[in-house]
Amino acid sequence: MTISRRVFVKSGGLALFSFGLDPLFLARAAFAVRPPASPSDRILVCLFQRGAVDGLNMIVPHGDPIYYRERPRIAVPEKDVVDLDGYFGLHPRLAALKPLWDSKSLAAIHAVGSPDATRSHFDAQDYLESGTPGVKATSDGWLNRYCQHDREHQDTPFRAVAFGPQLPRILAGSAPTLAIDDLQAFGLRAPQPVARDRLTRAFEELYAGAATGLLSASSREAFEAVEMLKRLDPGQYRPANEADYPRGKLGKALLEIAQLIQADVGLQVAFADVTGWDTHVNQGATEGQLAGRLGELGQALAAFTRDLGERMRDVVVLTMSEFGRTVRENGNSGTDHGHATAMLVLGGPVNGGKVLGKWPGLDAAQRFEARDVAVTTDFRDLFAELLARHLGARDLSAIFPGFMPDPARFPGAISG
Amino acid sequence: MKTAIVLSLLTLAWMPVRVAAQHAALTPQDSAFHALNRLAYGPRPGDVPRVAADGVMPWIDRQLAPERIDDDRLAERERQFQILAYGRADLAAMYTEEQRERRERKLAAAADTMADPAASPIAQRGRRLAGEFADLAIVRAALSERQLYEVMVDFWTNHFNVYVAKGADRFLTPDYIEHTIRPRAMGKFEDLLIATARSPAMLFYLDNWESVAPGSVPPAALRVRARPFFGRRPGLFDPMHDPARQDSVRRRALERMPKGINENYARELLELHTLGVDGGYTQQDVIDVARIFTGWSIERPQQAGDFQFHDWAHDRSEKHVLGVRFEGGHDMDEGIRLLKLLANHPATMHHVSRKLCERFVNDDPPDGCVDDAVAAWRRSNGDIREVLRAIFHGPDFWAVENVRAKVKTPLEFVVSAARAVLAQPDTSPRLAQVVARLGEPLYLHVAPDGYPEREAAWVNSGALLDRMNAAVALAAGKLQGITVALDSIVSVGDAEQLIGVVNEKILGGAMSENTKQVLRRQLAGINDPTQARALVVGLAIGGPEFQRQ
């Protein structure tokens, strides 16, 4: 058997439903030369904090009096901060992540962001997803370009999955990717399982017999995915180690990601959105709006790592956001659009227990345009490091066109 | 250039022979089905024999003159759409009002968690309006007799893409479609290009409204200190009375002021709207185009004001674009002159003609099609109808290898499915949501390039499953927002009759032997005739033949 798609190797029984291999299918499968075991099992999970998270209240520079001076109403009081290294600390509602810091599998990158100065959510999100700050006409996202250029990695319908109703820009492009809103509902919909199976079989036969070109290849992938999920029976999944995912979209997305990882269906890149960070008004400090969002994030990430247990050895979770917020609080006890923010990386391969990146300081003279945290790490250097050192990507310049990723500038998020 | 003209003359000379050869290959029914798939959003039951009997070429010529086609039934349906009753200023006022409410509610709230922004009234209202507006596009595409016109509206909306969820474009986009794109979709390319360049929606989307000559200051900014709050006088307890605060307001206003040129529109104008990425322009050209358009702005964008030329923001020095000198000091005329130059540039003719051939003939368009279109463009000074006529009269359009060579886009799939079963969509956004689920939400392509014309962009496993689900739901009458009357199309009969009628009326006779066998097997255990009919129609619309056009 020359077909080396991960699905067939990993779950041999599934080969039963493969049929009628046409030349196009073989051409696609030819990408699937099996690479050495280790990078192929590695997984990157990206969480997009859409709306611009306030990096300064997420990873708090509690050692700097300017932080307290500029934020009289919304600074997290020293006594509440979960200290990390004497200068920075976690927002108290992220305390669930402290054990990961202690075990050196959590790092934060501060003062990270886009080289483009825009303070528009629209533009900045666009640049974060396209991976080409300042260039609007890029039609695909950087995670998709990674999938395009490292195609020797096994090809499965679940290689790159966005958890949400629509494919986000970061995963849009010519490499096959999947948007899954609900694992249980993925596939043909019918009132009863029998009717569902029957309908699935009917369409499968229609496409096997009469589809040509890309329709043929895509339909085959679709029915492969449906069949795999059916065997997985996502409705029966119970998180391991009493992991307690918070209710809501983020908890559900991470639970489903964990499920696909546990099921060994070849998931390599997962993506989910987390909204609610645009805290212009009544942001709060130890408690309040931002605290609520961070609490959910911390609880979800803690549950995810607990659920995956040993499997976290191969997994890196990245949080990212389009920009940070003003150093000084505004007139509505909130913060306005700023420049650099903080991102988190956690997982087995992470060089943890550190706040990475060059800290520019909060003094007005050190700020970007005298108001925001300056960017000292281009987000592409962080993303490139994760793709290269974690997922084993080789052609970084194709993934970030117009940018020369340089290992010397990598923030050092991945160990060894 | 000379070679191109000679070549196109040759093509013209050969055309009748090649066309004749094609007509031999395609039956009148096949020709009608093909034309209805490409110039229209697919046939309704009965359309194919009707067009075949009247002659496909006369039908095409009628479609090229939409103003002479009666479309009263659509006009009646359009009156149900509230969005059309609002001007962009009304929409802007509603938006501002909702924003204020939201802000006040948040100021008052002491909730621990910030409400999910997707559930806030501002987002809901924006979504509802965008939803009704997107659904209007579907209703028009499904019901209009001016089918080619609606296809062209979609083509230009995509070519001159704006993103409805970007700031003021939430309330500027409906006006853009109604008053910028639709009136010019079958006119001269030059007029359309100039209209988009002046449209508040495009000026906002590609940031040109903020593009100013470096160092220029609006007259109003100098008055900030004197009139701090839109003419409101400082009161006793007014925080504005505090001089320090007043200074900071002024500083912030000045900080927010645009400080130089923004190249965004200039670049996309050259790369996407006109010349194309290989159109032979340089970075210096982009900069000079941006300088020419400094001052093209919007009067009060947050209130959906009209286009306004700000002479104070205009760069008055000399510019050079594509080797052509633009003498300084001619204000808006420089931009108009440049747009005319670009609209009639050979690279533009080629770029846009190629895109039209992609849309109407093949994802990889034959050179002959592009050459025919360019020749017609040149002859007619960019008359869109003549360019289209050249494509539809050309041999490539009718070549057997280009028939069913394209996969329907999400919009084309949903609308053609609705037409195939004579469905009546209502004003709810349900069908627009199906289009979105299939991967191409209307007016929500974030990048300025618009949705690609090539199938790889929308054919993928998840979207295919969603097509099947939508087809099954539609046939079973379970798709909300749409009324289906299968009775008038497919009478209940035995399996063979059912399969035959569906093949003829919905698939244009393209049903494969395999599909017939699968349908027979599926029908074997079903006794309820209504259920059998829904199953066959659902499988046919969700199946592989119907995905192609």
Side-chain angles (χ1 to χ4, degrees), chain A residues 93 120 122-123 126-127 134-140 157 165-167 169 173-174 176-179 181 185-191 198-199 201-223 225-226 249 275-282 286-293 328 330-332 336 369-371, chain B residues 103 106-118 163 165-167 205-207 245 251-252 255 264 267-268 271-272 407 433 436-437 439 441 444-449 452 455-457 459-472 478 512 514-516 518-519 521-526 535 538-545 547-548:
Chain A
R93 297 292 289 272
S120 137
F122 164 80
D123 287 341
D126 195 42
Y127 295 153
V135 179
K136 291 258 180 102
T138 311
S139 60
D140 46 14
Q166 261 149 36
L167 202 62
R169 178 143 161 72
S174 64
T177 51
L178 209 53
D181 197 22
F186 186 80
L188 271 305
R189 284 192 286 276
R198 188 187 165 118
L199 199 57
R201 231 175 6 257
F203 273 119
E204 198 170 355
E205 289 170 10
L206 286 180
Y207 276 83
T212 50
L214 194 53
L215 275 181
S216 166
S218 299
S219 60
R220 213 172 341 252
E221 273 173 10
F223 293 115
V226 168
K249 283 186 197 161
T275 56
W277 307 101
D278 198 15
T279 48
H280 286 280
V281 179
N282 279 349
T286 302
E287 297 300 325
Q289 281 176 47
L290 181 64
R293 302 304 292 136
R328 170 183 277 182
N330 66 19
N332 300 122
D336 294 321
E369 296 179 351
R371 57 175 251 166
Chain B
R103 210 177 164 79
K106 270 168 87 181
L107 268 171
D112 179 57
T113 53
M114 191 161 111
D116 180 359
Y163 179 67
K166 177 182 179 179
Y205 172 58
L206 291 179
D207 307 321
R245 171 96 189 189
R251 203 189 63 231
R252 274 165 57 185
E255 259 172 25
N264 197 8
R267 182 178 310 281
E268 309 311 355
E271 177 180 332
L272 301 172
V407 177
Q433 284 163 3
R437 180 160 281 276
L444 283 168
H445 185 74
V446 63
D449 56 348
E455 65 177 30
V459 179
N460 62 67
S461 45
L464 266 185
L465 289 168
D466 282 325
R467 285 185 184 214
M468 299 170 205
N469 278 321
V472 170
K478 287 182 184 154
S512 72
N514 175 77
T515 297
K516 286 177 191 167
V518 173
L519 293 179
R521 278 201 299 276
Q522 288 296 320
L523 284 172
I526 297 177
L535 181 67
L539 288 172
I541 291 177
E545 291 96 338
Q547 306 313 313
R548 294 200 165 272

Side-chain angles (χ1 to χ4, degrees), chain B residues 172-388:
Chain B
L172 293 173
T173 304
D175 174 81
Y176 176 70
I177 303 300
E178 292 307 304
H179 299 120
T180 304
I181 300 288
R182 290 183 70 85
R184 298 172 185 84
M186 297 282 262
K188 294 256 178 169
F189 180 78
E190 178 183 292
D191 297 337
L192 181 57
L193 181 69
I194 293 173
T196 58
R198 296 174 49 113
S199 68
M202 185 65 78
L203 288 164
F204 189 87
Y205 172 58
L206 291 179
D207 307 321
N208 200 78
W209 72 287
E210 296 191 291
S211 184
V212 303
S216 54
V217 180
L222 304 173
R223 294 199 299 267
V224 167
R225 182 187 280 272
R227 297 182 60 198
F229 232 31
F230 302 116
R232 195 176 130 219
R233 262 180 295 181
L236 192 56
F237 300 104
D238 194 332
M240 295 303 301
H241 206 52
D242 171 6
R245 171 96 189 189
Q246 209 171 310
D247 259 5
S248 114
V249 165
R250 181 160 180 262
R251 203 189 63 231
R252 274 165 57 185
L254 282 171
E255 259 172 25
R256 273 201 302 269
M257 212 78 76
K259 291 184 179 60
I261 63 166
N262 187 312
E263 294 173 16
N264 197 8
Y265 175 67
R267 182 178 310 281
E268 309 311 355
L269 171 68
L270 300 184
E271 177 180 332
L272 301 172
H273 298 172
T274 61
L275 305 175
V277 69
D278 303 317
Y281 57 90
T282 64
Q283 171 58 26
Q284 191 55 46
D285 285 329
V286 173
I287 291 172
D288 277 21
V289 168
R291 291 170 59 219
I292 284 176
F293 284 109
T294 45
W296 287 52
S297 190
I298 313 168
E299 185 192 5
R300 292 171 283 111
Q302 295 311 327
Q303 294 164 52
D306 212 338
F307 171 81
Q308 197 172 50
F309 181 75
H310 294 155
D311 51 2
W312 57 264
H314 187 67
D315 182 330
R316 305 178 68 81
S317 50
E318 182 175 291
K319 300 106 180 166
H320 289 88
V321 179
L322 302 167
V324 177
R325 179 170 162 266
F326 286 77
E327 196 190 342
H330 287 268
D331 290 351
M332 244 193 97
D333 290 347
E334 296 165 22
I336 298 291
R337 187 179 154 218
L338 172 65
L339 290 167
K340 289 183 174 175
L341 174 87
L342 290 172
N344 298 294
H345 194 282
T348 302
M349 297 182 196
H350 191 269
H351 173 223
V352 179
S353 293
R354 191 184 149 81
K355 237 177 126 172
L356 284 166
C357 290
E358 276 178 354
R359 167 67 66 110
F360 287 105
V361 178
N362 194 303
D363 285 7
D364 293 308
D367 290 342
C369 176
V370 182
D371 292 343
D372 289 352
V374 168
W377 188 307
R378 200 170 269 130
R379 271 199 313 273
S380 67
N381 297 317
D383 185 332
I384 294 160
R385 292 167 204 246
E386 294 312 312
V387 176
L388 291 175

Side-chain angles (χ1 to χ4, degrees), chain A residues 8 11-17 231:
Chain A
F8 299 116
S11 13
L14 295 177
L16 287 175
F17 65 87
R231 281 159 199 259

